[in-house]
Amino acid sequence: MDKSINILLKNSPILVFLLIWEVAGWIAATPLLPSFTKVVGEFYDLLISGILIENLGHSFVRVVIGYLAGGLFGIIIGILMGTNKSIETALKPLISILLPIPTLGWLPLMMLWVGINEALPIILIFICAFFPVAYATLLGIKEIPQEYINSAKALGASNGYILMRIILPLASPSIFTGLRLESGMVWKTVLAAEMFAIPTGIGALMINAESLIRVDVIMVSLMVLALMSFGFEKSIYALEKAAIGKWR
């Protein structure tokens, strides 16, 4: 009983928000502010018709490919910088300069270089994930006490052993923090790319709904994006717990 009450209290702000939304929708009685139940009904219609699944599938594939490639490449470059002073000296200034640039700032340039095609959102997502993850990996390695590495070398440990048993486990909180932060940003990036340049995906669905004044479809798309961002973040968190538990 106490557990149920705690769950109810924890989710009470969401329930109050949905109630206000529902009441406001019925009072306004306008397509510009559909009620929550009408949005849920539209979600069901889009789901059954296959329109939502098709567009979400396009966005999901783009996000997964770009995020995995950018995250993995970022970790590799971060490890190289963190374990090799020459590589750090060569790459860190460049990454530090490019990191603050908003991902969408690359959109006009990439449209000219890559063109308006399937590669465009994937490259933007790659950029979105790569720079923060590379920098987070470097910072995580730099925070490792050098005595740990020196002691392992003195005992005859190989570079591979040091990397897998010392560097990665100790740097993993910083690495996973970078991955978690970008797990939501990549969905914002694919949304913007699809709205501006790609005819398929959740972003394209939203921009088409805007031209038809279908606010209910726009709200469905926003809800789906929120759920996907939340799911990605929770997946990275679960992966982090599993990895840290294994290393320990």
Side-chain angles (χ1 to χ4, degrees):
M1 185 66 178
D2 291 338
K3 186 177 180 180
S4 300
I5 294 175
N6 289 335
I7 294 175
L8 183 62
L9 291 175
K10 184 178 180 180
N11 294 294
S12 58
I14 298 176
L15 297 176
V16 171
F17 170 75
L18 295 179
L19 179 61
I20 294 174
W21 179 3
E22 180 69 17
V23 173
W26 283 107
I27 293 175
T30 170
L32 295 178
L33 183 59
S35 65
F36 174 69
T37 51
K38 289 184 178 179
V39 172
V40 172
E42 183 59 28
F43 171 83
Y44 177 79
D45 291 340
L46 290 172
L47 191 64
I48 294 299
S49 66
I51 295 175
L52 182 60
I53 296 298
E54 180 183 358
N55 285 280
L56 179 59
H58 286 296
S59 298
F60 185 83
V61 170
R62 292 163 185 156
V63 167
V64 169
I65 294 174
Y67 179 63
L68 289 180
L72 180 60
F73 195 58
I75 292 173
I76 293 173
I77 295 299
I79 291 173
L80 291 175
M81 290 192 297
T83 56
N84 189 298
K85 190 65 178 178
S86 298
I87 296 178
E88 179 186 0
T89 302
L91 295 182
K92 185 179 178 181
L94 180 62
I95 291 179
S96 299
I97 291 173
L98 298 179
L99 175 63
I101 299 177
T103 304
L104 295 182
W106 295 94
L107 180 57
L109 184 60
M110 291 301 155
M111 289 176 67
L112 294 174
W113 282 358
V114 179
I116 300 175
N117 53 50
E118 195 63 34
L120 177 61
I122 294 175
I123 291 175
L124 289 173
I125 294 166
F126 177 93
I127 293 172
C128 178
F130 169 72
F131 289 108
V133 172
Y135 202 78
T137 302
L138 173 62
L139 291 180
I141 293 175
K142 287 300 181 182
E143 291 175 354
I144 299 174
Q146 189 62 36
E147 293 79 10
Y148 293 178
I149 298 175
N150 292 338
S151 299
K153 288 182 178 179
L155 293 172
S158 65
N159 291 334
Y161 181 90
I162 293 173
L163 174 64
M164 298 303 299
R165 301 305 298 269
I166 297 177
I167 293 177
L168 285 180
L170 294 179
S172 61
S174 180
I175 296 173
F176 278 107
T177 296
L179 289 171
R180 280 203 313 273
L181 290 175
E182 296 313 302
S183 63
M185 291 301 299
V186 292
W187 280 98
K188 297 177 183 178
T189 300
V190 76
L191 171 65
E194 290 169 349
M195 290 179 70
F196 280 105
I198 306 298
T200 59
I202 292 296
L205 181 64
M206 289 182 65
I207 205 68
N208 291 334
E210 186 271 339
S211 64
L212 299 173
I213 319 179
R214 291 296 306 273
V215 178
D216 51 350
V217 177
I218 295 175
M219 288 186 170
V220 169
S221 301
L222 291 174
M223 291 169 61
V224 170
L225 284 169
L227 290 174
M228 295 305 298
S229 298
F230 180 77
F232 261 56
E233 183 178 355
K234 289 299 181 182
S235 297
I236 297 299
Y237 181 71
L239 181 62
E240 178 183 7
K241 289 183 65 176
I244 292 176
K246 180 180 179 180
W247 277 322
R248 285 179 178 174

